[in-house]
Amino acid sequence: MKIDMILVFAIVVGLVAVPYALFILFGSGNSKKIEKQIKEEANKNNLNINHREKWASRYLSLDSIANKLLFSRTRGEQLVHQHIDLNTITRIVVLEDRISKRIDGKMHDTLEKLSLELISKENVQSIVINFYDSTLDATQNYEMNRVNKWKELIEKQLKLNAKHSKAA
């Protein structure tokens, strides 16, 4: 009787654990491939990344020595890179697009898009880094915290760059 219970337990655990282990071992191949492509892009552009973050299909990296951002995102099967020279940026603005929706008879304010706008010195062209878009992203995952963290990190980098420019 005990051997039967042990056998049943082993089969049930195997049915749960084996697929999970296979997913962990082989399911993250695309993620590793994308990470490799981002590292190659950084190396190709002589970037030494010291801050990075990955969420949804987006990857944001900062080289604080070269004063550059690398924003990468997947569009379908393709990985698109955007290089941003922070030497050309003077200020940053958080852009929030919200709409009011009636849910269960009550009005709720919902986030539709969340981005950082990097405004250039000449105010000619601004660069927008999209952190969340409800038409592309199924759920929110701390995007407000993430956008504020990166805004603070980039502003700190801009202040350091301004001090170095004045000292030189």
Side-chain angles (χ1 to χ4, degrees), residues 96-127:
E96 289 182 61
D97 290 341
R98 295 183 172 272
I99 62 167
S100 294
K101 290 183 179 179
R102 185 173 299 278
I103 302 171
D104 295 332
K106 296 179 183 176
M107 292 301 286
H108 293 277
D109 201 27
T110 60
L111 185 64
E112 290 292 304
K113 292 184 181 181
L114 181 63
S115 306
L116 273 182
E117 180 181 22
L118 298 120
I119 300 168
S120 69
K121 292 178 180 179
E122 298 83 25
N123 286 328
V124 175
Q125 180 181 1
S126 63
I127 299 165

PDB file of all heavy atoms in Angstrom, residues 96-127:
ATOM      1  N   GLU A  96       1.686  60.991 -19.387  1.00  0.00           N
ATOM      2  CA  GLU A  96       0.656  60.017 -19.015  1.00  0.00           C
ATOM      3  C   GLU A  96      -0.593  60.301 -19.828  1.00  0.00           C
ATOM      4  O   GLU A  96      -1.094  61.420 -19.806  1.00  0.00           O
ATOM      5  CB  GLU A  96       0.282  60.145 -17.540  1.00  0.00           C
ATOM      6  CG  GLU A  96       1.304  59.689 -16.561  1.00  0.00           C
ATOM      7  CD  GLU A  96       0.788  59.816 -15.136  1.00  0.00           C
ATOM      8  OE1 GLU A  96      -0.233  59.161 -14.799  1.00  0.00           O
ATOM      9  OE2 GLU A  96       1.388  60.579 -14.378  1.00  0.00           O
ATOM     10  N   ASP A  97      -1.079  59.303 -20.527  1.00  0.00           N
ATOM     11  CA  ASP A  97      -2.370  59.408 -21.205  1.00  0.00           C
ATOM     12  C   ASP A  97      -3.356  58.566 -20.418  1.00  0.00           C
ATOM     13  O   ASP A  97      -3.183  57.358 -20.285  1.00  0.00           O
ATOM     14  CB  ASP A  97      -2.285  58.884 -22.646  1.00  0.00           C
ATOM     15  CG  ASP A  97      -1.474  59.782 -23.547  1.00  0.00           C
ATOM     16  OD1 ASP A  97      -1.275  60.953 -23.185  1.00  0.00           O
ATOM     17  OD2 ASP A  97      -1.043  59.320 -24.617  1.00  0.00           O
ATOM     18  N   ARG A  98      -4.365  59.218 -19.875  1.00  0.00           N
ATOM     19  CA  ARG A  98      -5.384  58.525 -19.084  1.00  0.00           C
ATOM     20  C   ARG A  98      -6.749  58.788 -19.681  1.00  0.00           C
ATOM     21  O   ARG A  98      -6.989  59.847 -20.250  1.00  0.00           O
ATOM     22  CB  ARG A  98      -5.363  58.999 -17.633  1.00  0.00           C
ATOM     23  CG  ARG A  98      -4.086  58.658 -16.903  1.00  0.00           C
ATOM     24  CD  ARG A  98      -4.150  59.079 -15.437  1.00  0.00           C
ATOM     25  NE  ARG A  98      -3.014  58.596 -14.706  1.00  0.00           N
ATOM     26  CZ  ARG A  98      -2.949  57.412 -14.117  1.00  0.00           C
ATOM     27  NH1 ARG A  98      -3.972  56.603 -14.171  1.00  0.00           N
ATOM     28  NH2 ARG A  98      -1.865  57.035 -13.477  1.00  0.00           N
ATOM     29  N   ILE A  99      -7.628  57.814 -19.519  1.00  0.00           N
ATOM     30  CA  ILE A  99      -9.016  58.011 -19.931  1.00  0.00           C
ATOM     31  C   ILE A  99      -9.923  57.538 -18.808  1.00  0.00           C
ATOM     32  O   ILE A  99      -9.545  56.700 -17.988  1.00  0.00           O
ATOM     33  CB  ILE A  99      -9.363  57.276 -21.246  1.00  0.00           C
ATOM     34  CG1 ILE A  99      -9.208  55.775 -21.095  1.00  0.00           C
ATOM     35  CG2 ILE A  99      -8.541  57.778 -22.400  1.00  0.00           C
ATOM     36  CD1 ILE A  99      -9.834  54.996 -22.241  1.00  0.00           C
ATOM     37  N   SER A 100     -11.106  58.105 -18.770  1.00  0.00           N
ATOM     38  CA  SER A 100     -12.092  57.694 -17.772  1.00  0.00           C
ATOM     39  C   SER A 100     -13.004  56.647 -18.393  1.00  0.00           C
ATOM     40  O   SER A 100     -13.489  56.823 -19.519  1.00  0.00           O
ATOM     41  CB  SER A 100     -12.925  58.885 -17.305  1.00  0.00           C
ATOM     42  OG  SER A 100     -12.097  59.786 -16.607  1.00  0.00           O
ATOM     43  N   LYS A 101     -13.197  55.558 -17.669  1.00  0.00           N
ATOM     44  CA  LYS A 101     -14.070  54.469 -18.124  1.00  0.00           C
ATOM     45  C   LYS A 101     -15.071  54.161 -17.025  1.00  0.00           C
ATOM     46  O   LYS A 101     -14.759  54.247 -15.846  1.00  0.00           O
ATOM     47  CB  LYS A 101     -13.264  53.198 -18.405  1.00  0.00           C
ATOM     48  CG  LYS A 101     -12.377  53.259 -19.600  1.00  0.00           C
ATOM     49  CD  LYS A 101     -11.689  51.910 -19.795  1.00  0.00           C
ATOM     50  CE  LYS A 101     -10.794  51.924 -21.002  1.00  0.00           C
ATOM     51  NZ  LYS A 101     -10.100  50.634 -21.176  1.00  0.00           N
ATOM     52  N   ARG A 102     -16.264  53.771 -17.454  1.00  0.00           N
ATOM     53  CA  ARG A 102     -17.277  53.348 -16.494  1.00  0.00           C
ATOM     54  C   ARG A 102     -17.159  51.836 -16.345  1.00  0.00           C
ATOM     55  O   ARG A 102     -17.322  51.088 -17.294  1.00  0.00           O
ATOM     56  CB  ARG A 102     -18.676  53.722 -16.972  1.00  0.00           C
ATOM     57  CG  ARG A 102     -19.752  53.418 -15.947  1.00  0.00           C
ATOM     58  CD  ARG A 102     -21.109  53.945 -16.368  1.00  0.00           C
ATOM     59  NE  ARG A 102     -21.157  55.374 -16.530  1.00  0.00           N
ATOM     60  CZ  ARG A 102     -21.320  56.269 -15.546  1.00  0.00           C
ATOM     61  NH1 ARG A 102     -21.438  55.844 -14.309  1.00  0.00           N
ATOM     62  NH2 ARG A 102     -21.368  57.552 -15.789  1.00  0.00           N
ATOM     63  N   ILE A 103     -16.829  51.404 -15.121  1.00  0.00           N
ATOM     64  CA  ILE A 103     -16.710  49.984 -14.805  1.00  0.00           C
ATOM     65  C   ILE A 103     -17.609  49.703 -13.616  1.00  0.00           C
ATOM     66  O   ILE A 103     -17.468  50.328 -12.561  1.00  0.00           O
ATOM     67  CB  ILE A 103     -15.243  49.599 -14.483  1.00  0.00           C
ATOM     68  CG1 ILE A 103     -14.337  49.951 -15.666  1.00  0.00           C
ATOM     69  CG2 ILE A 103     -15.143  48.131 -14.129  1.00  0.00           C
ATOM     70  CD1 ILE A 103     -12.861  49.805 -15.380  1.00  0.00           C
ATOM     71  N   ASP A 104     -18.530  48.770 -13.785  1.00  0.00           N
ATOM     72  CA  ASP A 104     -19.488  48.414 -12.729  1.00  0.00           C
ATOM     73  C   ASP A 104     -20.240  49.634 -12.215  1.00  0.00           C
ATOM     74  O   ASP A 104     -20.467  49.787 -11.018  1.00  0.00           O
ATOM     75  CB  ASP A 104     -18.799  47.699 -11.558  1.00  0.00           C
ATOM     76  CG  ASP A 104     -18.217  46.353 -11.951  1.00  0.00           C
ATOM     77  OD1 ASP A 104     -18.761  45.735 -12.888  1.00  0.00           O
ATOM     78  OD2 ASP A 104     -17.227  45.931 -11.332  1.00  0.00           O
ATOM     79  N   GLY A 105     -20.610  50.518 -13.119  1.00  0.00           N
ATOM     80  CA  GLY A 105     -21.393  51.689 -12.751  1.00  0.00           C
ATOM     81  C   GLY A 105     -20.598  52.830 -12.142  1.00  0.00           C
ATOM     82  O   GLY A 105     -21.161  53.872 -11.828  1.00  0.00           O
ATOM     83  N   LYS A 106     -19.289  52.666 -11.967  1.00  0.00           N
ATOM     84  CA  LYS A 106     -18.462  53.713 -11.378  1.00  0.00           C
ATOM     85  C   LYS A 106     -17.426  54.176 -12.393  1.00  0.00           C
ATOM     86  O   LYS A 106     -16.938  53.394 -13.197  1.00  0.00           O
ATOM     87  CB  LYS A 106     -17.746  53.202 -10.123  1.00  0.00           C
ATOM     88  CG  LYS A 106     -18.668  52.811  -9.002  1.00  0.00           C
ATOM     89  CD  LYS A 106     -17.888  52.305  -7.824  1.00  0.00           C
ATOM     90  CE  LYS A 106     -18.811  51.832  -6.721  1.00  0.00           C
ATOM     91  NZ  LYS A 106     -18.066  51.253  -5.607  1.00  0.00           N
ATOM     92  N   MET A 107     -17.073  55.450 -12.324  1.00  0.00           N
ATOM     93  CA  MET A 107     -16.056  55.996 -13.216  1.00  0.00           C
ATOM     94  C   MET A 107     -14.669  55.688 -12.643  1.00  0.00           C
ATOM     95  O   MET A 107     -14.425  55.880 -11.452  1.00  0.00           O
ATOM     96  CB  MET A 107     -16.218  57.507 -13.387  1.00  0.00           C
ATOM     97  CG  MET A 107     -17.469  57.910 -14.133  1.00  0.00           C
ATOM     98  SD  MET A 107     -17.560  57.223 -15.806  1.00  0.00           S
ATOM     99  CE  MET A 107     -16.373  58.213 -16.643  1.00  0.00           C
ATOM    100  N   HIS A 108     -13.797  55.180 -13.513  1.00  0.00           N
ATOM    101  CA  HIS A 108     -12.420  54.879 -13.138  1.00  0.00           C
ATOM    102  C   HIS A 108     -11.480  55.539 -14.125  1.00  0.00           C
ATOM    103  O   HIS A 108     -11.723  55.548 -15.324  1.00  0.00           O
ATOM    104  CB  HIS A 108     -12.160  53.361 -13.153  1.00  0.00           C
ATOM    105  CG  HIS A 108     -12.909  52.620 -12.102  1.00  0.00           C
ATOM    106  ND1 HIS A 108     -12.456  52.512 -10.822  1.00  0.00           N
ATOM    107  CD2 HIS A 108     -14.092  51.956 -12.144  1.00  0.00           C
ATOM    108  CE1 HIS A 108     -13.314  51.803 -10.114  1.00  0.00           C
ATOM    109  NE2 HIS A 108     -14.321  51.460 -10.902  1.00  0.00           N
ATOM    110  N   ASP A 109     -10.406  56.088 -13.600  1.00  0.00           N
ATOM    111  CA  ASP A 109      -9.360  56.699 -14.411  1.00  0.00           C
ATOM    112  C   ASP A 109      -8.340  55.606 -14.736  1.00  0.00           C
ATOM    113  O   ASP A 109      -7.738  55.041 -13.831  1.00  0.00           O
ATOM    114  CB  ASP A 109      -8.699  57.829 -13.611  1.00  0.00           C
ATOM    115  CG  ASP A 109      -7.995  58.828 -14.485  1.00  0.00           C
ATOM    116  OD1 ASP A 109      -8.392  58.992 -15.645  1.00  0.00           O
ATOM    117  OD2 ASP A 109      -7.036  59.450 -13.996  1.00  0.00           O
ATOM    118  N   THR A 110      -8.173  55.278 -16.020  1.00  0.00           N
ATOM    119  CA  THR A 110      -7.251  54.196 -16.384  1.00  0.00           C
ATOM    120  C   THR A 110      -6.112  54.733 -17.245  1.00  0.00           C
ATOM    121  O   THR A 110      -6.296  55.639 -18.057  1.00  0.00           O
ATOM    122  CB  THR A 110      -7.963  53.063 -17.152  1.00  0.00           C
ATOM    123  OG1 THR A 110      -8.531  53.595 -18.341  1.00  0.00           O
ATOM    124  CG2 THR A 110      -9.040  52.423 -16.313  1.00  0.00           C
ATOM    125  N   LEU A 111      -4.954  54.140 -17.040  1.00  0.00           N
ATOM    126  CA  LEU A 111      -3.756  54.522 -17.771  1.00  0.00           C
ATOM    127  C   LEU A 111      -3.774  53.893 -19.151  1.00  0.00           C
ATOM    128  O   LEU A 111      -3.957  52.689 -19.292  1.00  0.00           O
ATOM    129  CB  LEU A 111      -2.517  54.065 -16.991  1.00  0.00           C
ATOM    130  CG  LEU A 111      -1.164  54.465 -17.536  1.00  0.00           C
ATOM    131  CD1 LEU A 111      -1.003  55.984 -17.509  1.00  0.00           C
ATOM    132  CD2 LEU A 111      -0.061  53.815 -16.716  1.00  0.00           C
ATOM    133  N   GLU A 112      -3.618  54.688 -20.178  1.00  0.00           N
ATOM    134  CA  GLU A 112      -3.574  54.185 -21.553  1.00  0.00           C
ATOM    135  C   GLU A 112      -2.146  54.103 -22.083  1.00  0.00           C
ATOM    136  O   GLU A 112      -1.778  53.145 -22.731  1.00  0.00           O
ATOM    137  CB  GLU A 112      -4.401  55.093 -22.482  1.00  0.00           C
ATOM    138  CG  GLU A 112      -5.885  55.002 -22.243  1.00  0.00           C
ATOM    139  CD  GLU A 112      -6.445  53.657 -22.639  1.00  0.00           C
ATOM    140  OE1 GLU A 112      -6.269  53.237 -23.788  1.00  0.00           O
ATOM    141  OE2 GLU A 112      -7.063  53.011 -21.768  1.00  0.00           O
ATOM    142  N   LYS A 113      -1.354  55.144 -21.808  1.00  0.00           N
ATOM    143  CA  LYS A 113       0.046  55.189 -22.247  1.00  0.00           C
ATOM    144  C   LYS A 113       0.878  55.888 -21.186  1.00  0.00           C
ATOM    145  O   LYS A 113       0.400  56.801 -20.523  1.00  0.00           O
ATOM    146  CB  LYS A 113       0.195  55.938 -23.579  1.00  0.00           C
ATOM    147  CG  LYS A 113      -0.410  55.227 -24.753  1.00  0.00           C
ATOM    148  CD  LYS A 113      -0.153  55.967 -26.041  1.00  0.00           C
ATOM    149  CE  LYS A 113      -0.806  55.234 -27.195  1.00  0.00           C
ATOM    150  NZ  LYS A 113      -0.579  55.877 -28.463  1.00  0.00           N
ATOM    151  N   LEU A 114       2.129  55.434 -21.083  1.00  0.00           N
ATOM    152  CA  LEU A 114       3.064  56.043 -20.139  1.00  0.00           C
ATOM    153  C   LEU A 114       4.422  56.099 -20.814  1.00  0.00           C
ATOM    154  O   LEU A 114       4.933  55.075 -21.278  1.00  0.00           O
ATOM    155  CB  LEU A 114       3.139  55.222 -18.852  1.00  0.00           C
ATOM    156  CG  LEU A 114       4.041  55.734 -17.753  1.00  0.00           C
ATOM    157  CD1 LEU A 114       3.552  57.097 -17.247  1.00  0.00           C
ATOM    158  CD2 LEU A 114       4.092  54.747 -16.601  1.00  0.00           C
ATOM    159  N   SER A 115       4.993  57.297 -20.893  1.00  0.00           N
ATOM    160  CA  SER A 115       6.258  57.483 -21.603  1.00  0.00           C
ATOM    161  C   SER A 115       7.122  58.521 -20.902  1.00  0.00           C
ATOM    162  O   SER A 115       6.633  59.308 -20.097  1.00  0.00           O
ATOM    163  CB  SER A 115       6.000  57.970 -23.036  1.00  0.00           C
ATOM    164  OG  SER A 115       5.125  57.119 -23.722  1.00  0.00           O
ATOM    165  N   LEU A 116       8.395  58.502 -21.257  1.00  0.00           N
ATOM    166  CA  LEU A 116       9.313  59.569 -20.888  1.00  0.00           C
ATOM    167  C   LEU A 116       9.613  60.353 -22.156  1.00  0.00           C
ATOM    168  O   LEU A 116       9.946  59.773 -23.181  1.00  0.00           O
ATOM    169  CB  LEU A 116      10.635  59.008 -20.355  1.00  0.00           C
ATOM    170  CG  LEU A 116      10.739  58.675 -18.885  1.00  0.00           C
ATOM    171  CD1 LEU A 116      12.142  58.188 -18.552  1.00  0.00           C
ATOM    172  CD2 LEU A 116      10.379  59.847 -18.008  1.00  0.00           C
ATOM    173  N   GLU A 117       9.502  61.668 -22.076  1.00  0.00           N
ATOM    174  CA  GLU A 117       9.875  62.524 -23.193  1.00  0.00           C
ATOM    175  C   GLU A 117      11.181  63.203 -22.829  1.00  0.00           C
ATOM    176  O   GLU A 117      11.267  63.904 -21.822  1.00  0.00           O
ATOM    177  CB  GLU A 117       8.794  63.560 -23.471  1.00  0.00           C
ATOM    178  CG  GLU A 117       9.142  64.472 -24.635  1.00  0.00           C
ATOM    179  CD  GLU A 117       8.075  65.517 -24.912  1.00  0.00           C
ATOM    180  OE1 GLU A 117       7.290  65.833 -24.005  1.00  0.00           O
ATOM    181  OE2 GLU A 117       8.055  66.019 -26.042  1.00  0.00           O
ATOM    182  N   LEU A 118      12.197  62.982 -23.655  1.00  0.00           N
ATOM    183  CA  LEU A 118      13.509  63.599 -23.460  1.00  0.00           C
ATOM    184  C   LEU A 118      13.582  64.786 -24.417  1.00  0.00           C
ATOM    185  O   LEU A 118      13.527  64.610 -25.636  1.00  0.00           O
ATOM    186  CB  LEU A 118      14.607  62.578 -23.732  1.00  0.00           C
ATOM    187  CG  LEU A 118      14.547  61.380 -22.781  1.00  0.00           C
ATOM    188  CD1 LEU A 118      14.343  60.108 -23.561  1.00  0.00           C
ATOM    189  CD2 LEU A 118      15.783  61.326 -21.968  1.00  0.00           C
ATOM    190  N   ILE A 119      13.705  65.974 -23.860  1.00  0.00           N
ATOM    191  CA  ILE A 119      13.648  67.198 -24.669  1.00  0.00           C
ATOM    192  C   ILE A 119      15.068  67.673 -24.933  1.00  0.00           C
ATOM    193  O   ILE A 119      15.879  67.826 -24.020  1.00  0.00           O
ATOM    194  CB  ILE A 119      12.813  68.271 -23.949  1.00  0.00           C
ATOM    195  CG1 ILE A 119      11.391  67.713 -23.742  1.00  0.00           C
ATOM    196  CG2 ILE A 119      12.794  69.567 -24.748  1.00  0.00           C
ATOM    197  CD1 ILE A 119      10.533  68.514 -22.815  1.00  0.00           C
ATOM    198  N   SER A 120      15.351  67.939 -26.210  1.00  0.00           N
ATOM    199  CA  SER A 120      16.701  68.317 -26.621  1.00  0.00           C
ATOM    200  C   SER A 120      16.987  69.776 -26.297  1.00  0.00           C
ATOM    201  O   SER A 120      16.080  70.568 -26.048  1.00  0.00           O
ATOM    202  CB  SER A 120      16.890  68.064 -28.115  1.00  0.00           C
ATOM    203  OG  SER A 120      16.107  68.960 -28.865  1.00  0.00           O
ATOM    204  N   LYS A 121      18.273  70.123 -26.336  1.00  0.00           N
ATOM    205  CA  LYS A 121      18.720  71.477 -26.013  1.00  0.00           C
ATOM    206  C   LYS A 121      18.115  72.513 -26.948  1.00  0.00           C
ATOM    207  O   LYS A 121      17.773  73.605 -26.544  1.00  0.00           O
ATOM    208  CB  LYS A 121      20.244  71.554 -26.068  1.00  0.00           C
ATOM    209  CG  LYS A 121      20.913  70.775 -24.969  1.00  0.00           C
ATOM    210  CD  LYS A 121      22.420  70.829 -25.057  1.00  0.00           C
ATOM    211  CE  LYS A 121      23.022  70.035 -23.922  1.00  0.00           C
ATOM    212  NZ  LYS A 121      24.479  70.005 -23.944  1.00  0.00           N
ATOM    213  N   GLU A 122      17.989  72.153 -28.198  1.00  0.00           N
ATOM    214  CA  GLU A 122      17.474  73.099 -29.182  1.00  0.00           C
ATOM    215  C   GLU A 122      15.952  73.127 -29.223  1.00  0.00           C
ATOM    216  O   GLU A 122      15.362  73.885 -29.973  1.00  0.00           O
ATOM    217  CB  GLU A 122      17.998  72.756 -30.590  1.00  0.00           C
ATOM    218  CG  GLU A 122      19.501  72.837 -30.726  1.00  0.00           C
ATOM    219  CD  GLU A 122      20.209  71.583 -30.242  1.00  0.00           C
ATOM    220  OE1 GLU A 122      19.599  70.499 -30.240  1.00  0.00           O
ATOM    221  OE2 GLU A 122      21.370  71.709 -29.834  1.00  0.00           O
ATOM    222  N   ASN A 123      15.285  72.256 -28.417  1.00  0.00           N
ATOM    223  CA  ASN A 123      13.825  72.108 -28.441  1.00  0.00           C
ATOM    224  C   ASN A 123      13.307  71.801 -29.842  1.00  0.00           C
ATOM    225  O   ASN A 123      12.167  72.083 -30.163  1.00  0.00           O
ATOM    226  CB  ASN A 123      13.120  73.348 -27.883  1.00  0.00           C
ATOM    227  CG  ASN A 123      13.238  73.437 -26.383  1.00  0.00           C
ATOM    228  OD1 ASN A 123      13.281  72.424 -25.690  1.00  0.00           O
ATOM    229  ND2 ASN A 123      13.315  74.650 -25.882  1.00  0.00           N
ATOM    230  N   VAL A 124      14.185  71.288 -30.689  1.00  0.00           N
ATOM    231  CA  VAL A 124      13.805  70.966 -32.058  1.00  0.00           C
ATOM    232  C   VAL A 124      13.108  69.612 -32.108  1.00  0.00           C
ATOM    233  O   VAL A 124      12.047  69.472 -32.701  1.00  0.00           O
ATOM    234  CB  VAL A 124      15.051  70.951 -32.983  1.00  0.00           C
ATOM    235  CG1 VAL A 124      14.696  70.509 -34.377  1.00  0.00           C
ATOM    236  CG2 VAL A 124      15.705  72.315 -32.980  1.00  0.00           C
ATOM    237  N   GLN A 125      13.706  68.648 -31.468  1.00  0.00           N
ATOM    238  CA  GLN A 125      13.181  67.295 -31.545  1.00  0.00           C
ATOM    239  C   GLN A 125      13.228  66.670 -30.158  1.00  0.00           C
ATOM    240  O   GLN A 125      14.230  66.740 -29.465  1.00  0.00           O
ATOM    241  CB  GLN A 125      14.029  66.475 -32.517  1.00  0.00           C
ATOM    242  CG  GLN A 125      13.578  65.056 -32.670  1.00  0.00           C
ATOM    243  CD  GLN A 125      14.489  64.289 -33.626  1.00  0.00           C
ATOM    244  OE1 GLN A 125      15.450  64.825 -34.151  1.00  0.00           O
ATOM    245  NE2 GLN A 125      14.183  63.048 -33.826  1.00  0.00           N
ATOM    246  N   SER A 126      12.129  66.073 -29.760  1.00  0.00           N
ATOM    247  CA  SER A 126      12.143  65.348 -28.501  1.00  0.00           C
ATOM    248  C   SER A 126      12.093  63.851 -28.808  1.00  0.00           C
ATOM    249  O   SER A 126      11.650  63.435 -29.871  1.00  0.00           O
ATOM    250  CB  SER A 126      10.971  65.762 -27.611  1.00  0.00           C
ATOM    251  OG  SER A 126       9.745  65.437 -28.219  1.00  0.00           O
ATOM    252  N   ILE A 127      12.577  63.079 -27.866  1.00  0.00           N
ATOM    253  CA  ILE A 127      12.614  61.628 -28.019  1.00  0.00           C
ATOM    254  C   ILE A 127      11.665  61.054 -26.985  1.00  0.00           C
ATOM    255  O   ILE A 127      11.698  61.441 -25.808  1.00  0.00           O
ATOM    256  CB  ILE A 127      14.040  61.095 -27.789  1.00  0.00           C
ATOM    257  CG1 ILE A 127      14.988  61.714 -28.818  1.00  0.00           C
ATOM    258  CG2 ILE A 127      14.065  59.581 -27.849  1.00  0.00           C
ATOM    259  CD1 ILE A 127      16.448  61.547 -28.470  1.00  0.00           C
TER     260      ILE A 127
END
